[in-house]
């Protein structure tokens, strides 16, 4: 089975469309949360992803934008975007967000899990090997997909040494991929990166392909129409910073 792994779309319809157009043939789609927030097309993005599959885990913006919890812990820009999203979401889409499951979920048996943040805390950012130690040490699954940080890559251990996983690309403006084998002796935390708001200095939309027969993860980047996504944000009256950062990849 080949699985398209998506995370942190953040209502960026242009980025999502580019990813779906560029993604190689796959048998399933797993979504790691934060479908909405920040971007200007929450209803359209939800419509699109609902038709892709049934494996979802909720993100913190999914909870906040659907009213499941407050936005007191959000920074002012994120809070403003969440309030705007609450207003424009349809009742059906709000309810769908509220019903998204808490991660981790295990879509492919006892070997694989999907979460938004840490396996131990859906809101925890896993950005360092130190952050990865506890969730990966306690995980019952060997291959674990997560999002939340908007940083493509991840972490691995063979039980003695710990490694940061960082895909290597040759450009900043073309579609590219980086294949990584999954070793039997390894345990993994794998982040496909953010579809709609990358923060690793690369503006291109990020995603991954997991192959459970070849036992590989292929990290992918694809360019998209950033100007159109930016113009939608500005036209919606959302903070300009949300438009500017799309080109910066920060």
């Amino acid at each position: 089975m080949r699985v398209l792994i998506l995370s942190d779309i953040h209502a960026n319809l242009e980025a999502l469309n580019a990813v779906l157009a560029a993604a190689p043939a796959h048998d399933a789609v797993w979504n790691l949360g934060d479908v909405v927030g920040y971007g200007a097309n929450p209803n359209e993005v939800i419509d699109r992803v609902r038709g892709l599959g049934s494996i979802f885990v909720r993100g913190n913006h999914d909870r906040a934008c659907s009213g499941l919890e407050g936005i007191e812990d959000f920074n002012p820009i994120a809070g403003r975007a969440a309030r705007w999203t609450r207003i424009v979401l349809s009742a059906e889409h709000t309810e769908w967000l509220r019903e998204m499951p808490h991660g981790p979920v295990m879509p492919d048996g006892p070997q694989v899990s999907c979460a938004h943040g840490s396996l131990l805390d859906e809101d925890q950012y896993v950005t360092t090997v130190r952050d990865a130690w506890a969730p990966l040490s306690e995980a019952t699954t060997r291959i674990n997909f997560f999002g939340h940080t908007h940083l493509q890559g991840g972490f691995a251990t063979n039980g003695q040494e710990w490694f940061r996983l960082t895909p290597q690309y040759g450009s900043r403006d073309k579609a590219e991929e980086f294949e990584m084998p999954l070793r039997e002796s390894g345990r993994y935390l794998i982040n496909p990166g953010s579809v709609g708001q990358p923060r690793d200095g690369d503006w291109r939309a990020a995603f991954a392909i997991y192959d459970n027969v070849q036992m590989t993860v292929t990290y992918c980047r694809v360019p998209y129409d950033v100007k159109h996504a930016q113009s939608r944000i500005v036209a919606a009256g959302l903070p300009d910073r949300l438009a500017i950062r799309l080109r910066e990849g920060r």
Side-chain angles (χ1 to χ4, degrees), residues 48-229:
R48 197 86 206 270
V49 300
R50 286 178 72 179
L52 297 177
S54 60
I55 302 301
F56 294 88
V57 294
R58 69 187 188 185
N60 55 312
H61 285 262
D62 301 321
R63 300 196 316 270
C65 291
S66 64
L68 275 180
E69 63 181 42
I71 58 175
E72 295 80 10
D73 293 333
F74 278 22
N75 66 56
I77 291 177
R80 184 172 158 190
R83 285 191 292 272
W84 177 88
T85 304
R86 286 180 179 180
I87 293 169
V88 302
L89 276 174
S90 71
E92 179 185 353
H93 291 158
T94 298
E95 188 60 29
W96 181 80
L97 289 172
R98 288 177 176 171
E99 293 176 354
M100 291 177 75
H102 182 297
V105 300
M106 290 181 283
D108 190 29
Q111 285 272 7
V112 181
S113 76
C114 292
H116 183 64
S118 164
L119 298 169
L120 306 178
D121 180 349
E122 64 182 339
D123 291 332
Q124 180 186 358
Y125 289 92
V126 181
T127 60
T128 67
V129 169
R130 184 172 183 174
D131 296 334
W133 185 85
L136 198 50
S137 296
E138 297 185 34
T140 60
T141 44
R142 190 172 73 84
I143 301 165
N144 306 279
F145 295 99
F146 74 105
H148 196 36
T149 67
H150 300 211
L151 304 174
Q152 191 178 61
F155 305 91
T157 182
N158 58 13
Q160 297 178 331
E161 298 178 286
W162 290 75
F163 308 91
R164 179 186 290 274
L165 308 174
T166 306
Q168 301 296 317
Y169 300 111
S171 77
R172 292 289 183 179
D173 58 358
K174 298 180 177 125
E176 292 186 83
E177 57 185 46
F178 180 88
E179 184 177 280
M180 179 183 72
L182 300 174
R183 305 186 187 284
E184 281 292 332
S185 59
R187 294 168 60 80
Y188 296 90
L189 278 169
I190 297 167
N191 192 324
S194 171
V195 171
Q197 196 189 92
R199 294 179 186 166
D200 51 11
D202 188 333
W203 66 275
R204 296 172 295 179
F207 64 100
I209 298 289
Y210 165 60
D211 189 320
N212 71 353
V213 176
Q214 299 298 321
M215 290 309 294
T216 58
V217 166
T218 303
Y219 294 106
C220 304
R221 302 303 283 243
V222 61
Y224 71 97
D225 190 346
V226 171
K227 287 185 178 180
H228 196 186

Side-chain angles (χ1 to χ4, degrees), residues 17-60:
N17 284 341
V19 164
L20 296 180
H26 51 274
D27 306 295
V29 180
W30 300 345
N31 194 303
L32 308 182
D34 277 358
V35 174
V36 298
Y38 296 134
N41 292 93
N43 288 301
E44 296 88 342
V45 165
I46 290 174
D47 277 336
R48 197 86 206 270
V49 300
R50 286 178 72 179
L52 297 177
S54 60
I55 302 301
F56 294 88
V57 294
R58 69 187 188 185
N60 55 312

